[in-house]
Amino acid sequence: MNHHKYTNALARETSPYLLQHAHNPVQWYPWGEEALSRARREDKPILLSIGYSACHWCHVMERESFEDEEIARLMNAHFINIKVDREERPDLDAIYMAVVQMATGGGGWPMTVFLTPDQTPFFCGTYFPPDAKAARPGFRQIVQEIARAYRDRKQDLYASGEAIRQKLQKLSRMPRAEGAIDPAVLDDAVAPMISNYDPQYGGFGRAPKFPPSMALSFLMRTYARTGREPLLEIVRNTLVHMANGGIYDHLGGGFHRYTLDAGWRVPHFEKMLYDNALLGRVYVDAYLLTGVGLFRRIARETLDYVLREMTSPEGGFYASQDADSGGVEGALYLWSSEEVRSILGGEEGEIFCRYFGITPGGDLDGLNILHIPRPGDAVATICGVTEERLLEVVRAGRRKLFLARERRVKPGRDEKILTAWNGLMLRTMAEAAGALGEEAYRRAALRNAEFVLTRLRDNGRLLRSYKDGQARFGAVLEDYAYLIDGLLALYEASFDSRWIAEAEALADRMVREFWDSDGDGFYFTAEHHEALIHRPKEFYDSATPSGNSAAAHALLRLGKFTGDPRWERYPVALFQRVLDLLRRQPAAFAHMLCAVDFHLGRPKEIAVAGNPRSADARALLDVVFRAYMPNKVVACGTEPDVFLLEGKPQAEHRATAYVCEDRTCRPPVTSADELRTALSPGPRRRGPGDPP
């Protein structure tokens, strides 16, 4: 079909996802006054379709239904059709996804919601095939039936919509919980969180399997606090299997979104910035905790991938890469055994194929997904070569195949720059810079913070999304919370007190515009935000930390840096509010539990008096940043420009470290060995169920 036979109102947008639909025969509008007032004026229901550019089923539904001229004719005749990019408008996505989950017990994208002209939902679902198939009704029939129902039974639809509105209001009201926020909350969370652990492949649950980055972070913290070895084994096993699986890109670095099987083997091939930020951080932490070289390599390759393929010339990080290239899912990542052997030659091709599980039959239509089914020493034995020779062949082979792959059609890249996701990656780059001693990550973090604060801020208020030189849409809670968190990590990577001042200015605004005056946590949207049918609050951590759990963690850290006790009041009120939920459904609150662990963990306040670039200060800072210590804040400088440095002079003109907890400090030290001793944990508490 000639794609440009039609053009609709999406042609004026910047979102790649909306632009993908600009030439559908459907008369799409973006969400906005033009479409909403037309719906009210003509008394037509709204057909709202929400998705994002890296979403495979969104592309399928577009091809099957939105490019079908007959379906488009029905949609145009009976509805005002609105297309939303969920990454630009997470506020709309949060409201209507809650509705889909209440109505169907599940959710996902593309999301399809029918609304009255006043935006109240009355029928919803996710992907629909064009015609009825298996248990799914066909979209063609649905559109006709809903148009008929709106004509003949409008009052019923309004009544069911009103019931849905009331249910939504209830979701944001939390009953106050009794009891104290104490370590028992953390101890009791472990068993339910690991109850569906998969001992064979790591991770939790069965297929499809998603990388559980926040749960792993919580388990590492709990291991550090209690010394419970089985928790460390769960983390190690999961990270090794993911690193060896098809979910990891063995040639280019970085992780795909999830796998269709339980063994991490066959991925859905899109790559999201947020997954790689969260997983990059988990692998860095796991390396600090265990010293396993594999974890350091995976962290570096993942961040190097982000610098190579996901960073804009101005320093922002792009949102995602598509699963499809040239219209074929996974095309960039799949290999036939003949192609591999012809590139690498006889003996090397044979070794490489054995190592990466490449067979003539393949995994998908005769093509192979690179994965590592068995340990290197076993492959070396099978191939009759030394392990050194094996590693040399694998290293050279990966490089050659990557160069061959660079000539293939690249997957589509969503070049939107989202404040929240940039905040996540900013923190990961900044932390990796110190942990791995990598200057390139520190430079990337500094450029990123400059870019976001310059281009995604207007008169002190953050904006959500930047593309093609334009910043748009009001920021939501997660934009503020993740960015504050990232700026505090950047202070620790640069010791420029400007970043703490920026973080504090954003925190002031976040509290003013998002905090519920009843003390019930933070709203998803700011008080001046466009009025929608509901002002949601999100507490559950999903693929990314909820805005509330990220805000709690960031404000607790900010309080330690600034010495201002007001910052701690908000997280403590929030913990009290979600205490019952933490007890009942800990697996849905992994990041919130990490924030509670920080709060209860008597964070170490480490101040190094000295020039951060001098050799003696660097030696002390390396001790701090190359150990696994999630509950710490670090300041360094020759001027007391940060609260932590006040009243802490240098001893004998040498860099001097002070280790404090709750504002009580140990005697200052000047050598790396003394600092190591001062930081070493005391005797650990045993957890319930641990052997004596």
Side-chain angles (χ1 to χ4, degrees):
M1 179 166 108
N2 169 11
H3 257 310
H4 293 286
K5 185 167 146 191
Y6 302 98
T7 299
N8 56 47
L10 300 183
R12 302 191 292 270
E13 293 297 301
T14 52
S15 152
Y17 177 66
L18 298 186
L19 290 170
Q20 283 161 6
H21 295 77
H23 301 291
N24 294 164
V26 177
Q27 288 167 8
W28 290 117
Y29 289 92
W31 183 276
E33 201 34 57
E34 186 186 359
L36 299 172
S37 62
R38 193 182 148 197
R40 291 192 297 270
R41 200 170 56 244
E42 299 180 15
D43 188 21
K44 276 187 172 174
I46 293 165
L47 195 170
L48 173 64
S49 174
I50 302 182
Y52 58 102
S53 121
C55 156
H56 174 69
W57 287 101
C58 298
H59 301 322
V60 174
M61 190 158 171
E62 180 193 12
R63 277 199 303 276
E64 293 176 339
S65 292
F66 304 147
E67 290 185 354
D68 179 300
E69 300 197 14
E70 190 213 342
I71 292 178
R73 194 174 51 70
L74 292 167
M75 289 170 68
N76 296 339
H78 300 294
F79 300 92
I80 303 300
N81 303 294
I82 298 182
K83 198 70 163 130
V84 166
D85 179 338
R86 81 179 199 90
E87 295 167 356
E88 283 186 335
R89 294 297 305 261
D91 50 339
L92 296 168
D93 186 59
I95 293 170
Y96 294 112
M97 181 56 81
V99 173
V100 173
Q101 287 168 334
M102 284 189 307
T104 67
W109 299 274
M111 192 193 326
T112 310
V113 191
F114 293 87
L115 317 175
T116 61
D118 69 355
Q119 306 173 28
T120 306
F122 61 85
F123 180 84
C124 59
T126 51
Y127 161 79
F128 292 106
D131 298 294
K133 195 152 87 192
R136 282 180 189 265
F139 193 59
R140 200 185 312 269
Q141 290 81 356
I142 287 173
V143 170
Q144 290 167 296
E145 280 171 32
I146 288 183
R148 218 175 0 255
Y150 192 78
R151 191 187 63 215
D152 303 339
R153 307 202 321 275
K154 194 182 300 179
Q155 290 328 107
D156 298 352
L157 299 184
Y158 270 91
S160 72
E162 192 43 48
I164 290 173
R165 264 183 193 248
Q166 286 172 359
K167 275 191 181 153
L168 279 175
Q169 303 303 341
K170 269 211 200 83
L171 284 180
S172 288
R173 286 198 295 272
M174 310 284 286
R176 276 188 203 286
E178 297 307 313
I181 303 156
D182 61 18
V185 174
L186 301 173
D187 291 331
D188 296 346
V190 173
M193 196 176 286
I194 62 176
S195 60
N196 61 346
Y197 170 62
D198 174 352
Q200 186 176 2
Y201 298 113
F204 303 100
R206 291 184 293 280
K209 215 177 228 179
F210 289 83
S213 48
M214 288 170 270
L216 298 177
S217 292
F218 174 68
L219 295 176
M220 283 192 275
R221 285 168 166 274
T222 306
Y223 167 74
R225 182 172 60 85
T226 63
R228 295 170 63 184
E229 282 296 335
L231 303 184
L232 187 58
E233 188 42 44
I234 287 174
V235 172
R236 195 186 281 125
N237 189 35
T238 301
L239 291 177
V240 167
H241 274 101
M242 279 174 21
N244 288 338
I247 193 170
Y248 184 68
D249 176 358
H250 292 275
L251 301 183
F255 287 87
H256 301 296
R257 179 77 202 88
Y258 64 94
T259 55
L260 302 168
D261 61 313
W264 305 110
R265 173 129 172 220
V266 181
H268 225 339
F269 288 95
E270 69 261 35
K271 285 181 174 176
M272 311 301 293
L273 183 67
Y274 59 79
D275 283 321
N276 285 291
L278 294 168
L279 286 166
R281 196 180 304 165
V282 167
Y283 276 92
V284 167
D285 283 345
Y287 166 64
L288 295 178
L289 184 59
T290 63
V292 172
L294 169 70
F295 298 160
R296 181 184 56 212
R297 174 171 73 79
I298 297 294
R300 294 191 74 113
E301 288 175 2
T302 297
L303 297 184
D304 292 349
Y305 148 73
V306 170
L307 294 183
R308 185 182 69 242
E309 296 192 31
M310 299 294 280
T311 305
S312 79
E314 305 158 285
F317 300 123
Y318 296 136
S320 62
Q321 278 175 321
D322 242 352
D324 308 12
S325 21
V328 181
E329 193 184 0
L332 183 72
Y333 306 102
L334 297 167
W335 299 85
S336 70
S337 69
E338 298 79 54
E339 191 179 6
V340 172
R341 288 167 195 274
S342 73
I343 292 169
L344 300 183
E347 188 211 3
E348 297 194 356
E350 172 62 25
I351 293 172
F352 192 91
C353 285
R354 289 270 183 180
Y355 185 77
F356 281 111
I358 296 170
T359 62
D363 302 300
L364 297 171
D365 304 327
L367 297 174
N368 290 271
I369 300 158
L370 267 52
H371 64 290
I372 302 172
R374 57 181 77 79
D377 53 359
V379 180
T381 307
I382 294 168
C383 297
V385 294
T386 64
E387 277 188 68
E388 288 71 42
R389 169 71 180 144
L390 174 83
L391 288 176
E392 186 188 309
V393 168
V394 167
R395 253 199 303 273
R398 284 172 72 204
R399 210 168 30 248
K400 285 177 189 159
L401 253 58
F402 177 73
L403 292 172
R405 188 175 97 173
E406 284 291 276
R407 296 195 286 274
R408 295 179 171 181
V409 177
K410 282 287 174 77
R413 180 169 64 187
D414 187 330
E415 296 186 356
K416 282 198 312 296
I417 294 167
L418 298 168
T419 300
W421 300 2
N422 275 252
L424 288 178
M425 187 54 81
L426 169 61
R427 178 175 157 194
T428 300
M429 286 283 175
E431 289 185 358
L436 307 178
E438 182 51 75
E439 185 55 30
Y441 302 154
R442 197 173 75 96
R443 283 198 305 272
L446 285 163
R447 282 185 68 217
N448 183 254
E450 291 283 2
F451 171 82
V452 173
L453 291 172
T454 309
R455 306 308 293 271
L456 279 147
R457 188 163 56 167
D458 183 27
N459 286 329
R461 264 194 192 137
L462 290 179
L463 295 161
R464 169 74 181 173
S465 176
Y466 175 93
K467 173 103 184 1
D468 300 338
Q470 261 183 290
R472 305 181 61 191
F473 308 109
V476 297
L477 176 62
E478 63 175 34
D479 294 300
Y480 281 87
Y482 298 175
L483 184 56
I484 293 164
D485 205 30
L487 291 169
L488 295 175
L490 180 57
Y491 168 74
E492 292 183 318
S494 64
F495 299 115
D496 177 348
S497 60
R498 171 195 164 187
W499 304 119
I500 289 182
E502 294 280 20
E504 190 156 34
L506 291 174
D508 263 322
R509 189 169 287 273
M510 177 173 82
V511 164
R512 204 163 58 241
E513 298 192 353
F514 293 86
W515 182 252
D516 179 347
S517 52
D518 290 345
D520 283 359
F522 290 96
Y523 285 107
F524 193 85
T525 50
E527 58 183 9
H528 58 83
H529 196 84
E530 168 193 351
L532 300 168
I533 62 158
H534 173 50
R535 192 178 176 199
K537 285 190 192 129
E538 284 210 317
F539 296 103
Y540 294 95
D541 299 314
S542 52
T544 53
S546 76
N548 269 294
S549 49
H553 196 254
L555 292 179
L556 288 169
R557 283 173 55 77
L558 182 63
K560 295 292 179 197
F561 279 115
T562 59
D564 185 339
R566 77 186 168 118
W567 295 124
E568 197 178 282
R569 289 206 295 270
Y570 302 100
V572 171
L574 180 60
F575 296 152
Q576 197 62 51
R577 188 31 57 119
V578 296
L579 192 54
D580 272 348
L581 284 174
L582 292 182
R583 290 178 181 139
R584 284 207 310 270
Q585 297 169 271
F589 291 95
H591 194 71
M592 186 78 82
L593 288 162
C594 290
V596 173
D597 181 76
F598 183 92
H599 172 58
L600 296 175
R602 298 181 55 139
K604 290 192 161 48
E605 298 149 30
I606 303 163
V608 176
N611 177 346
R613 280 171 217 40
S614 67
D616 54 349
R618 280 282 20 128
L620 295 172
L621 291 168
D622 280 349
V623 170
V624 173
F625 288 122
R626 303 211 176 161
Y628 177 72
M629 250 188 303
N631 296 335
K632 66 173 185 302
V633 290
V634 188
C636 179
T638 49
E639 297 294 319
D641 58 354
V642 173
F643 165 74
L644 290 183
L645 292 166
E646 285 171 14
K648 301 191 174 75
Q650 286 189 315
E652 304 138 29
H653 305 295
R654 292 173 60 193
T656 306
Y658 294 78
V659 178
C660 314
E661 282 178 23
D662 293 335
R663 306 195 184 185
T664 309
C665 300
R666 298 180 176 214
V669 298
T670 54
S671 79
D673 284 342
E674 291 173 301
L675 180 55
R676 233 174 250 113
T677 306
L679 291 173
S680 64
R684 290 197 172 112
R685 279 191 332 100
R686 279 210 308 277
D690 279 356

